Amino acid sequence: GASAESQAMARGAVAGYNRYLADQAGKLPAACNGQPWVKPMTLAEFRRQTELTAVQAATAALADAVLGAKRPAAAKSSAAPDAPVNLADAADAMREAGLLDSPLGSNAWAFGKDTTANGSGLLLGNPHFPWAGVNRFWQVHLTIPGNLDVMGVGLGSFPGVTIGFNKDVAWSHTVSTGKRFTLHELTLADGDPTAYLIDGKPEKMSSRTVSVPVRAADGSQQTQSATLWSTRWGPVVVLPRAGLNWTAKTAYALKDANLGNVRLLDSSMGFGRARNVQEVRAAMKNIGTPWVNTLAVDRNGNTLYADVSVVPDVDAAQLQRCAPSKPAAALLPAAGLVVLDGSKSACDWRRDPTSPVPGLIPIGRMPTAIRTDWVHNSNDSFFYTHPDQKWSGISPLVGDASVTRPRTRAGLLEIPEMLTRGKVTPAAVQAQLFADRNFMGNVIVPDLLTACAANPPASLEARDGCAALRGWDRTNSLEARGAHLFREFWRTARLIPGVYRFPFDPAQPVVTPTGLKMSDPAIAAKVWDSLTLAVKAVRAAGFALDATLGSVQRPLITPEPIPLHGGDEFEGVLNNLGNQFAPGITPKGLLIDYGTSYVQTVTFDTRGPVAQGILTYGQSTNPASPHATDQLWLFSRKQWPVLPFHPEDVEKARVGEVLRLTRP
């Protein structure tokens, strides 16, 4: 559970929020002022919001599946068998839920004394999060004299520092590949679809009706109700696109490893007080980090990689022993869903006495490494932390040897390349990230241009596309001409079956997959179709094929025409920018609402941290504030301000009067 300190911090956060509302009554921004939903918060509501953050990778993502579980009619027992599941569509359904290839991502690079110019640790933190909403970061500096002095960013619903640094250590997080839940295939009792068998004996499901107020389109409030069904494993869910339905014979239940996880604040406070990376690692022993890796450095020149996140304690042998029906088992490799046989009590998660949370994998069996050269992560598994780092005995629920992110390949290529130029400095790391190299452009476009010249496509648009891409420098800098065209082309061309000349080879994770299989006429025809459609899309939006990216790519969160450098997830641009809900070019350009959010470099001198950082979307969400877009301009210009950590630096950087709060 949560410590007394973190419970006190939660009470303080609630009191602070409520005090702010009282002090600002009638003076809030127009979008909030006088709205019925802007009201004081209770401690229970705060805790619910905190837990909602923890369960984003399970219950929250599958809320529709929980609400959609309706008791089947008795007649269903004689219905025709379900049609075979389209596994590709099942995977798409999980992507849409944010559970497969999550849009939330990040890069983190940690360099140790073997590779840094000053012999101290050097960290690059580059989380890719939404630019609006509950996952938006805010800059914060927390100081309790003699007890805590930590700076960085936190989420609005979190009273600690999520990513940041103190005088001795710096850390960042990246979304990890670990599984946060399992599904359990229930064998239902004959004649009763609300009873399921455990070791041959029936158990009844429980049900409860939940009612919530919902605002209708006309602004009025209405009440919506739903009946939720629950089992010993958790709530019953239905995922029709994955073939997981509630019938007269079978149902599926969701067991979420992050339910009740209130431990993250204690981990965060441990990070904030850590004096070296060993103490950062120790702060994770409570298994409170819900769904991220942690990378850290210290002033002594050590680096840490750790995926000590919340993962059900299920190993490879149990996956075999507790395999469900064949269609359900096929969902793990295809759509990332772990389904276990829910009719056997022995198929519950292992309860290791060394784990502080029964059923979760303890730190001793999670991947952690302390090195003095470098470690990195870009949302693929622990497997690719460093080329020389070897692993064994890690549960497949933590990760595997697959590479799904081109950014992982970019990091594995660009870090060693950067090190050939000498020991690294903050300036070198900043320049590498903001070079905006387009990894997939570099491995795809040469074959495309060769085919353009050797066997020109019939389509005039495709030939025009070839000409534009011939002039592209294969970066996503503001000056890059044709980068927007490549994005529209590769958005669809990458999905062509068999498109690569060399498919993925785990023995060569950096250089495969690569090339275009233009020697195959059927594949070549589809590639030209993708290029034709991309050219048409760019022209229909009103942009030239050779327009600069800076004239096309803009923030969605402001009407200000701020030019943005960076590229989308599937392009392998480390400085990742995208649009969560409406990808693709529009008459207003490529509109960005997520990606590089808070970016920091931190190293250490004799005084303490030497930190530079940008909160890309700015510290204020009030459009009238001068701080609404000031840092977007810094990001656009690739300017990294120094973050004032020491008291004298804070005083010099002060922009307003100090607000002193006393109890009313």
Side-chain angles (χ1 to χ4, degrees):
S3 69
E5 179 183 48
S6 69
Q7 291 181 53
M9 288 185 74
R11 291 193 298 272
V14 171
Y17 176 84
N18 292 343
R19 170 69 181 269
Y20 180 83
L21 286 187
D23 289 351
Q24 301 296 315
K27 296 181 286 186
L28 294 171
C32 308
N33 217 25
Q35 294 294 329
W37 45 268
V38 180
K39 57 186 180 182
M41 187 191 306
T42 66
L43 186 59
E45 287 168 334
F46 177 83
R47 286 179 172 146
R48 199 153 52 235
Q49 177 62 48
T50 302
E51 189 169 355
L52 188 61
T53 299
V55 300
Q56 281 187 81
T59 303
L62 294 174
D64 287 344
V66 175
L67 292 170
K70 310 293 185 194
R71 173 181 171 154
K76 185 89 175 182
S77 57
S78 59
D82 290 335
V85 174
N86 180 331
L87 291 173
D89 186 55
D92 285 343
M94 292 305 99
R95 284 189 190 93
E96 290 162 21
L99 293 174
L100 190 65
D101 306 334
S102 166
L104 298 182
S106 307
N107 308 304
W109 296 355
F111 298 93
K113 58 189 174 186
D114 298 348
T115 56
T116 58
N118 64 358
S120 190
L122 168 58
L123 179 85
L124 167 71
N126 177 211
H128 305 146
F129 264 55
W131 285 13
V134 295
N135 280 321
R136 186 194 198 280
F137 290 123
W138 307 86
Q139 285 175 288
V140 63
H141 188 168
L142 297 179
T143 305
I144 305 171
N147 182 291
L148 180 72
D149 192 7
V150 60
M151 191 175 191
V153 289
L155 299 173
S157 60
F158 186 70
V161 172
T162 309
I163 288 172
F165 55 92
N166 64 22
K167 70 182 180 65
D168 296 312
V169 304
W171 75 93
S172 196
H173 295 303
T174 63
V175 175
S176 104
T177 54
K179 304 297 183 188
R180 315 303 164 194
F181 66 92
T182 53
L183 295 167
H184 297 257
E185 188 173 64
L186 307 176
T187 301
L188 301 181
D190 283 343
D192 185 356
T194 64
Y196 56 101
L197 301 180
I198 297 287
D199 301 331
K201 297 178 181 177
E203 282 188 15
K204 284 291 287 184
M205 296 177 186
S206 61
S207 66
R208 63 189 178 107
T209 300
V210 177
S211 299
V212 293
V214 176
R215 187 166 65 172
D218 63 1
S220 64
Q221 278 213 346
Q222 300 176 355
T223 299
Q224 286 193 3
S225 299
T227 299
L228 308 182
W229 292 87
S230 222
T231 71
R232 67 156 60 188
W233 308 115
V236 178
V237 293
V238 293
L239 292 162
R241 290 169 67 186
L244 305 182
N245 298 301
W246 188 356
T247 69
K249 294 185 176 181
T250 309
Y252 296 86
L254 166 71
K255 187 167 183 178
D256 186 340
N258 270 307
L259 276 180
N261 182 4
V262 292
R263 305 177 299 277
L264 176 57
L265 185 52
D266 285 312
S267 298
S268 174
M269 295 296 284
F271 297 162
R273 293 189 174 112
R275 294 166 296 182
N276 50 54
V277 297
Q278 288 84 358
E279 291 186 3
V280 173
R281 183 185 183 277
M284 291 182 270
K285 285 183 178 176
N286 68 346
I287 320 293
T289 311
W291 32 262
V292 290
N293 302 290
T294 303
L295 288 90
V297 300
D298 62 29
R299 65 164 50 254
N300 305 318
N302 299 301
T303 73
L304 168 73
Y305 165 81
D307 186 352
V308 185
S309 57
V310 170
V311 179
D313 197 349
V314 175
D315 62 14
Q318 185 174 339
L319 283 177
Q320 294 293 323
R321 190 175 70 248
C322 294
S325 62
K326 281 189 176 180
L331 293 171
L332 178 54
L337 289 173
V338 179
V339 187
L340 302 174
D341 183 345
S343 71
K344 300 172 185 171
S345 58
C347 290
D348 199 356
W349 304 343
R350 176 180 172 187
R351 300 170 85 84
D352 185 333
T354 69
S355 178
V357 185
L360 302 187
I361 303 177
I363 190 171
R365 289 192 281 113
M366 291 293 282
T368 70
I370 293 175
R371 303 179 64 94
T372 52
D373 45 14
W374 59 271
V375 292
H376 91 125
N377 186 269
S378 289
N379 307 119
D380 279 306
S381 83
F382 62 89
F383 202 87
Y384 297 102
T385 297
H386 184 280
D388 296 334
Q389 185 68 39
K390 305 305 178 194
W391 307 95
S392 62
I394 307 294
S395 164
L397 268 64
V398 182
D400 59 28
S402 63
V403 174
T404 63
R405 311 279 185 163
R407 285 182 291 105
T408 300
R409 300 171 64 191
L412 288 169
L413 176 80
E414 293 192 34
I415 291 171
E417 186 183 288
M418 182 173 60
L419 292 174
T420 64
R421 300 195 290 270
K423 298 290 182 82
V424 293
T425 62
V429 171
Q430 293 166 11
Q432 193 72 38
L433 178 68
F434 282 176
D436 295 308
R437 288 164 61 171
N438 190 304
F439 186 88
M440 294 311 300
N442 277 294
V443 302
I444 290 302
V445 169
D447 277 5
L448 184 74
L449 297 182
T450 297
C452 288
N455 189 16
S459 155
L460 176 61
E461 287 91 353
R463 293 200 297 274
D464 289 347
C466 289
L469 291 175
R470 198 167 284 117
W472 177 39
D473 65 4
R474 298 175 206 167
T475 76
N476 283 59
S477 65
L478 295 180
E479 302 78 29
R481 294 185 175 274
H484 59 305
L485 173 63
F486 177 76
R487 185 175 311 171
E488 296 312 296
F489 160 68
W490 192 237
R491 191 187 305 284
T492 57
R494 69 193 172 96
L495 303 174
I496 298 168
V499 71
Y500 294 109
R501 185 158 46 89
F502 292 106
F504 176 65
D505 176 0
Q508 303 183 81
V510 177
V511 298
T512 62
T514 191
L516 292 175
K517 198 173 183 181
M518 301 302 281
S519 59
D520 183 318
I523 289 174
K526 291 177 181 175
V527 168
W528 297 134
D529 285 347
S530 285
L531 187 54
T532 298
L533 290 171
V535 167
K536 288 179 176 177
V538 169
R539 286 174 169 164
F543 293 94
L545 302 182
D546 63 350
T548 61
L549 184 62
S551 68
V552 180
Q553 191 157 255
R554 297 277 187 265
L556 179 63
I557 60 171
T558 174
E560 262 184 276
I562 302 172
L564 300 177
H565 55 98
D568 215 323
E569 173 69 35
F570 58 81
E571 298 177 279
V573 182
L574 288 163
N575 175 30
N576 178 15
L577 300 182
N579 186 301
Q580 294 181 90
F581 304 113
I585 196 163
T586 73
K588 293 184 178 179
L590 289 162
L591 298 176
I592 302 304
D593 70 354
Y594 84 89
T596 293
S597 37
Y598 170 67
V599 58
Q600 66 173 15
T601 59
V602 187
T603 188
F604 303 89
D605 62 13
T606 53
R607 286 177 78 212
V610 179
Q612 292 170 271
I614 311 166
L615 185 68
T616 48
Y617 33 66
Q619 182 73 340
S620 177
T621 55
N622 183 355
S625 168
H627 303 297
T629 59
D630 55 349
Q631 294 195 64
L632 261 176
W633 282 109
L634 292 175
F635 172 73
S636 177
R637 297 170 186 141
K638 303 183 181 180
Q639 295 173 338
W640 295 64
V642 174
L643 301 178
F645 180 80
H646 301 285
E648 56 271 31
D649 298 331
V650 172
E651 181 58 32
K652 283 180 194 168
R654 185 159 62 85
V655 295
E657 292 306 308
V658 174
L659 175 65
R660 298 188 188 280
L661 292 177
T662 56
R663 288 184 183 275

